[in-house]
Amino acid sequence: MLRSSLFVSLSLAAASLAQQVGNYTAESQPRLPWQECTRSGCTNKSSASVTLDANWRWVHVTGNYTNCYTGNTWNTTVCTSNTQCASRCALEGANYQQTYGISTSGNALTLKFVTKGENTNVGSRVYLMESESKYQMFNLLNKEFTFDVDVSKLPCGLNGALYFVQMDQDGGMSKYSGNKAGAKYGTGYCDSQCPRDIKYINGEANSEGWNASPNDANAGAGKYGTCCGEMDIWEANSISTAYTPHPCKTTNDGGQQRCTGQECNTPDRYGGLCDPDGCDFNSFRQGDRTYYGNGLTVDTSKKMTVVTQFITDNNSTTGTLVEIRRLYVQDGRVIPNSKTNFPGLLDPSDSITEKFCDDQKRAFGDNPSFQNQGGLAHMGRSLAKGHVLVLSIWDDYAAQMLWLDSNYPTDGDPSKPGIARGTCPTDSGNPKDVETNAADSQVIFSNIKFGDIGSTYSGTPITLPQAPLPPGYNPPNGGNPTTTTAAPTPTVPSTTTAAPGATQTKFGQCGGVGYSGPTQCAAGTTCTAINQFYSQCV
């Protein structure tokens, strides 16, 4: 994933992040109930809410209305140093709907792209809260995470994202004495891009060495970035979608860590603390051009349910992560994930495993940073520490979202596997264009559920037809499966491919409604039902 952090455009009260708390606007977090499920049923978390990321909030000198940050520059009269800026500036509460286009109704959250009032706001990022001052933490191992989403009003160049990052539950308030605002005011953000546009990190400003962006009137980059492990459950618009793990070798197996210089993957994109690309599963990029989109198998003109399962080697929340599975529910149908559709080059995988990632990096010619940062095993250790749920809508000043929904790199041959990621033109996604011409875009997330595998959804399973080959693709070896070589430094051996003689290997799938693969398990393992749709050799 390539993420350029989001910025709000406020002409009078410029967005920023600081650590004191102002008293001009009361902070009233919108309620967003969700459900925690077991095989016996689901329990409502009715008091849950969301809070706005601190980078969007108005920051001013404590006790008056003087801005600490305006446009894309700091008020250097106030912010003479990083520590002084934190001590002198106050972070305000948010008027969620009127200023930021953020609203909730029942269990649904709507994020509008451009909101015009006294000022103009672009995009937003919010976090799910356990209480008014603590983020909700999730350990996804041996669990599934499910939500409904409507992306029908998200065109080329936009991203309605739902993902997890290994932030501190209190926003870093207990770690850093300069942070007086904490999770209540959306502090402590980090991700695998090690973003340097975050205005306050570790309770201090990021004003020293700040450079204003040459093409974004509201953005800049400071001396420091902030890194942590990231699990992208959903990056999507109505054209394309991808889910992607991003491990990081920061403190605490991927925990938040301030970076500088090369630690932040600058200038060498792959020489820092985190894996910026991840191991992505984008159905279009994997060769199935008929699966996701308007009027296709997963129809983006209508609301859908997205289910993501995190399979461990021992069916426990402390096991090693070996597979991340995806399925959809729409119109009462349980739709399995698409399969990689490059016969003769890649096996027909439908989930993220170490083998899938090794094969994909080799076949697409991608940098093996995912493997070098520890792969799925390290991502699993990060998830076990607890992650915060992030929901956002954004446009991309760095790469115009082409990495998600178009040909990328733009000068690549779209018939070459891995280049084509969606049907958007290579000149689409310019932020100034989408902010003008697609200002009324929005994403709606709803019906969030988390719990035991198989407990958060229901429906009738369907079988997918064989997708046609991607245009221009000529299968090598007559389309027969190829023998693959692992990419450098794999962490976990392949565990999900069928063993010879229709015998499934350890940790592989061996049963479930709609499953047609091997049902006999390798010696020493037993086919164990996880739910009606999934049984595993353990």
Side-chain angles (χ1 to χ4, degrees):
M1 175 202 65
L2 307 173
R3 175 177 293 118
S4 173
S5 291
L6 317 179
F7 281 87
V8 60
S9 173
L10 295 175
S11 59
L12 298 177
S16 185
L17 165 60
Q19 309 299 180
Q20 307 303 311
V21 176
N23 56 11
Y24 294 136
T25 303
E27 173 65 11
S28 181
Q29 299 167 354
R31 295 292 182 191
L32 186 66
W34 60 282
Q35 293 184 299
E36 188 165 14
C37 302
T38 68
R39 294 184 183 93
S40 300
C42 297
T43 302
N44 267 332
K45 303 289 185 178
S46 57
S47 63
S49 61
V50 294
T51 193
L52 177 68
D53 183 285
N55 238 37
W56 271 257
R57 295 173 182 267
W58 174 38
V59 166
H60 56 87
V61 173
T62 304
N64 67 57
Y65 290 87
T66 302
N67 288 338
C68 291
Y69 182 93
T70 303
N72 58 12
T73 59
W74 290 92
N75 183 337
T76 55
T77 302
V78 176
C79 294
T80 57
S81 72
N82 289 346
T83 54
Q84 185 180 45
C85 193
S87 66
R88 296 189 64 184
C89 296
L91 184 66
E92 277 296 337
N95 187 326
Y96 282 81
Q97 185 166 5
Q98 182 177 345
T99 303
Y100 301 102
I102 300 167
S103 62
T104 58
S105 176
N107 64 17
L109 168 72
T110 299
L111 303 177
K112 294 187 177 295
F113 178 45
V114 176
T115 304
K116 294 184 178 181
E118 292 183 12
N119 311 293
T120 298
N121 176 74
V122 178
S124 60
R125 183 166 63 215
V126 300
Y127 309 111
L128 186 66
M129 304 295 287
E130 175 187 280
S131 66
E132 187 180 58
S133 59
K134 287 185 178 181
Y135 298 130
Q136 178 66 52
M137 306 301 289
F138 292 88
N139 175 1
L140 297 170
L141 296 185
N142 198 42
K143 300 291 185 179
E144 67 185 23
F145 187 89
T146 298
F147 61 96
D148 293 351
V149 64
D150 183 343
V151 295
S152 61
K153 294 184 178 180
L154 284 181
C156 296
L158 291 183
N159 192 333
L162 181 151
Y163 59 106
F164 288 93
V165 291
Q166 197 178 332
M167 295 167 61
D168 292 327
Q169 186 173 24
D170 65 357
M173 193 172 183
S174 59
K175 282 185 180 177
Y176 307 111
S177 60
N179 186 345
K180 306 300 181 185
K184 180 177 180 178
Y185 292 87
T187 70
Y189 182 72
C190 54
D191 66 36
S192 64
Q193 305 303 306
C194 300
R196 293 168 53 222
D197 54 11
I198 305 301
K199 299 184 185 75
Y200 277 78
I201 303 171
N202 291 9
E204 298 180 2
N206 199 14
S207 58
E208 297 172 20
W210 184 269
N211 292 307
S213 169
N215 64 345
D216 185 346
N218 302 291
K223 174 182 177 181
Y224 297 108
T226 179
C227 311
C228 65
E230 174 180 356
M231 178 63 228
D232 293 326
I233 299 286
W234 184 253
E235 292 200 278
N237 51 36
S238 60
I239 310 300
S240 296
T241 184
Y243 73 107
T244 313
H246 296 263
C248 287
K249 290 184 177 177
T250 56
T251 56
N252 196 29
D253 283 326
Q256 186 272 334
Q257 180 177 334
R258 188 169 72 172
C259 67
T260 185
Q262 186 54 65
E263 289 180 332
C264 305
N265 291 350
T266 304
D268 177 5
R269 176 172 173 79
Y270 303 108
L273 295 172
C274 291
D275 166 29
D277 293 353
C279 175
D280 63 299
F281 197 112
N282 172 334
S283 294
F284 196 98
R285 190 181 189 216
Q286 295 304 127
D288 190 338
R289 311 294 164 83
T290 64
Y291 184 73
Y292 178 92
N294 192 335
L296 301 183
T297 301
V298 178
D299 186 354
T300 58
S301 70
K302 301 183 290 187
K303 183 170 70 172
M304 68 194 75
T305 299
V306 184
V307 183
T308 312
Q309 300 172 333
F310 295 81
I311 309 301
T312 59
D313 62 349
N314 62 1
N315 296 320
S316 80
T317 56
T318 59
T320 299
L321 179 64
V322 295
E323 184 179 14
I324 307 175
R325 300 186 62 84
R326 165 58 51 84
L327 57 89
Y328 297 87
V329 183
Q330 194 172 53
D331 297 330
R333 304 171 303 151
V334 178
I335 307 170
N337 196 24
S338 63
K339 293 183 178 181
T340 298
N341 189 32
F342 293 109
L345 181 67
L346 286 167
D347 290 336
S349 302
D350 62 359
S351 63
I352 294 176
T353 64
E354 290 291 351
K355 183 181 187 306
F356 166 81
C357 297
D358 292 343
D359 291 351
Q360 182 205 64
K361 298 293 184 181
R362 171 194 53 78
F364 292 174
D366 292 344
N367 188 288
S369 60
F370 178 77
Q371 290 86 347
N372 295 338
Q373 292 287 356
L376 278 185
H378 192 73
M379 187 75 246
R381 290 195 294 273
S382 172
L383 293 173
K385 303 290 184 182
H387 276 224
V388 175
L389 177 62
V390 188
L391 307 101
S392 70
I393 184 170
W394 60 287
D395 56 356
D396 184 0
Y397 274 84
Q400 299 184 191
M401 217 67 73
L402 302 175
W403 56 269
L404 175 67
D405 59 22
S406 184
N407 298 333
Y408 195 82
T410 56
D411 59 354
D413 179 358
S415 67
K416 178 184 175 183
I419 297 296
R421 298 139 189 264
T423 58
C424 295
T426 55
D427 61 355
S428 66
N430 184 299
K432 292 181 179 176
D433 290 340
V434 295
E435 288 169 17
T436 300
N437 299 319
D440 60 347
S441 299
Q442 67 179 32
V443 62
I444 303 174
F445 296 106
S446 60
N447 199 27
I448 294 171
K449 295 182 179 181
F450 168 75
D452 294 340
I453 291 175
S455 68
T456 66
Y457 68 96
S458 62
T460 302
I462 66 168
T463 300
L464 297 177
Q466 177 62 47
L469 292 182
Y473 177 68
N474 295 312
N477 305 319
N480 295 317
T482 183
T483 301
T484 58
T485 305
T489 63
T491 327
V492 178
S494 169
T495 58
T496 57
T497 357
T503 300
Q504 184 60 284
T505 56
K506 187 176 182 181
F507 309 133
Q509 184 172 1
C510 56
V513 177
Y515 175 72
S516 58
T519 57
Q520 172 129 8
C521 291
T525 63
T526 303
C527 190
T528 303
I530 307 301
N531 58 68
Q532 62 176 322
F533 302 106
Y534 189 80
S535 297
Q536 184 182 33
C537 292
V538 292

